[in-house]
Amino acid sequence: QGWIVETKPCGEALCGYLVGFRIDHPHAPDYVSRDTLNPDPARREDPLCGMKLIGGFTPSKRADGGWENGWIYNPDSGKTYSAVISVMDVDTVRLRIYAGLPLFGRTLFLHREIGVTIRCAAPE
């Protein structure tokens, strides 16, 4: 997607917020999209910038130092999925997203952004 998500603690959990876009994102630098596909009609005018896209992750009991029991919201579909995160190395995590059972999901590898990015301005 070219989205930049910043993760940080939120209580005992890990959350992530949309904070910017890669410079090659098709809508950069003027991307100010709204959450038009949100299943809650009252939220469809919410700006994507600053939106919580990741939440509820708790430290995993596995040795990989990952996170489990979390959720991922995809504004491109308006759907929320269950997810687990496994740490591959200091710059890469493996994200397994699924509906129902992890067996019926999809795996993404997310990398720390080191290129030029465009920070978006979260609403006040």
Side-chain angles (χ1 to χ4, degrees):
Q1 287 297 345
W3 297 349
I4 308 297
V5 177
E6 184 175 282
T7 57
K8 59 185 173 182
C10 52
E12 295 292 316
L14 178 71
C15 296
Y17 300 85
L18 180 67
V19 296
F21 308 95
R22 288 181 31 185
I23 195 79
D24 59 352
H25 188 278
H27 302 291
D30 301 320
Y31 193 59
V32 230
S33 188
R34 305 285 175 190
D35 192 17
T36 58
L37 298 177
N38 194 304
D40 178 356
R43 311 272 333 248
R44 292 183 182 157
E45 287 300 313
D46 290 355
L48 292 181
C49 189
M51 178 177 286
K52 186 192 292 187
L53 299 180
I54 297 172
F57 284 93
T58 56
S60 173
K61 306 223 183 321
R62 298 182 320 253
D64 69 3
W67 300 82
E68 58 191 12
N69 303 317
W71 56 265
I72 301 287
Y73 175 66
N74 180 357
D76 284 343
S77 67
K79 295 184 180 179
T80 300
Y81 301 93
S82 298
V84 295
I85 297 172
S86 301
V87 177
M88 306 304 292
D89 60 44
V90 341
D91 292 321
T92 310
V93 296
R94 178 182 174 264
L95 175 67
R96 181 73 179 167
I97 58 174
Y98 57 94
L101 299 173
L103 178 65
F104 303 109
R106 170 177 161 192
T107 299
L108 302 171
F109 290 90
L110 306 178
H111 306 279
R112 182 183 312 270
E113 182 58 53
I114 57 172
V116 178
T117 62
I118 298 170
R119 299 286 287 192
C120 62
E124 303 279 321

